[in-house]
Amino acid sequence: MSSNVFLFAPNLIGYLRILLGMVAFGLFKDKPVLFTVLYCSSALLDAVDGHVARALNQSSTFGAVLDMVTDRASTLCLLMLIASKAGNQNYVTLAMQAFGAIDLASHYAQMYAGVAIGSHSHKAGKALQEAPWMLRLYYGNKAVLFALCAGEQLFLLSCFYKLNLFKILVFKQYDAVDILLLSSMPLFALKQLMNFLQFINASRILATLDVVKA
């Protein structure tokens, strides 16, 4: 195995994800369909790098951070894009800001708490030993993790195309994107709940450490 962590295969996949994301967001205005394809390609590669890391025995702390930071940055950029398209729908802008804030805060807090207690990842180890059962299921079951993450991205991409959720719900004027938006909404809501539980779990760990050190 190469000793250069930066050239590990899963980390190369991570760099490709970043590149695809950068190109995607550069095309959203003129070529929204290509933007969607590239963004989804980057997101799907997130499900590949972990398998590659385990298969090649190339798991690394740098890779875990790269993966987490890429996920957060991609989602935040998409949230900002939706907010920029909201126009005078201030509630949409406020919602996107709130979702971005809890996403960043919860993952940073969980990773920091994990490092503080010697956990190798925010997804496993000591950082989750006393976490709420829903959070342990979320990170412990790959199918659940994939479903909620994919649902979140599908919901946000649907919002990119269709922002007027009130019109869809009240007047029931459905098309394919509307159906995708409505069907992915429960998964998106559960993902936000996981973010909230993650922040509470990390806060508990850090507060416990403060008491021990006092």
Side-chain angles (χ1 to χ4, degrees), residues 84-201:
S84 71
K85 295 186 64 179
N88 60 358
Q89 299 181 67
N90 293 333
Y91 69 94
V92 174
T93 300
L94 290 173
M96 295 305 113
Q97 291 173 339
F99 295 146
I102 187 62
D103 188 53
L104 288 174
S106 67
H107 282 84
Y108 174 81
Q110 181 74 2
M111 180 162 279
Y112 189 94
V115 170
I117 61 176
S119 183
H120 70 280
S121 170
H122 70 289
K123 296 181 180 180
K126 298 178 181 178
L128 291 176
Q129 283 181 351
E130 297 182 13
W133 70 268
M134 291 183 68
L135 191 62
R136 285 185 276 114
L137 174 65
Y138 171 65
Y139 278 131
N141 189 307
K142 296 187 186 304
V144 174
L145 178 65
F146 178 82
L148 266 60
C149 290
E152 177 186 53
Q153 296 304 310
L154 288 175
F155 178 81
L156 293 177
L157 283 170
S158 300
C159 286
F160 169 72
Y161 287 98
K162 289 290 184 69
L163 284 173
N164 201 335
L165 185 59
F166 178 80
K167 179 179 178 181
I168 298 171
L169 292 174
V170 175
F171 297 103
K172 295 181 172 58
Q173 298 180 7
Y174 300 146
D175 60 20
V177 176
D178 298 331
I179 293 172
L180 182 60
L181 187 151
L182 292 173
S183 61
S184 60
M185 189 188 303
L187 295 174
F188 175 81
L190 284 172
K191 179 63 170 65
Q192 305 320 300
L193 175 60
M194 294 305 107
N195 285 342
F196 179 76
L197 292 177
Q198 182 168 244
F199 185 79
I200 296 299
N201 180 64

Side-chain angles (χ1 to χ4, degrees), residues 40-95:
C40 290
S41 297
S42 177
L44 287 172
L45 284 175
D46 183 35
V48 175
D49 56 5
H51 293 291
V52 173
R54 289 185 290 273
L56 299 180
N57 192 27
Q58 290 186 342
S59 299
S60 64
T61 302
F62 169 75
V65 173
L66 176 66
D67 183 60
M68 194 269 281
V69 170
T70 301
D71 289 342
R72 306 286 67 77
S74 298
T75 300
L76 183 60
C77 286
L78 183 54
L79 288 166
M80 292 170 61
L81 181 56
I82 295 169
S84 71
K85 295 186 64 179
N88 60 358
Q89 299 181 67
N90 293 333
Y91 69 94
V92 174
T93 300
L94 290 173

Side-chain angles (χ1 to χ4, degrees), residues 30-42:
D30 298 322
K31 299 181 179 180
V33 175
L34 183 55
F35 155 74
T36 303
V37 171
L38 292 176
Y39 183 88
C40 290
S41 297
S42 177

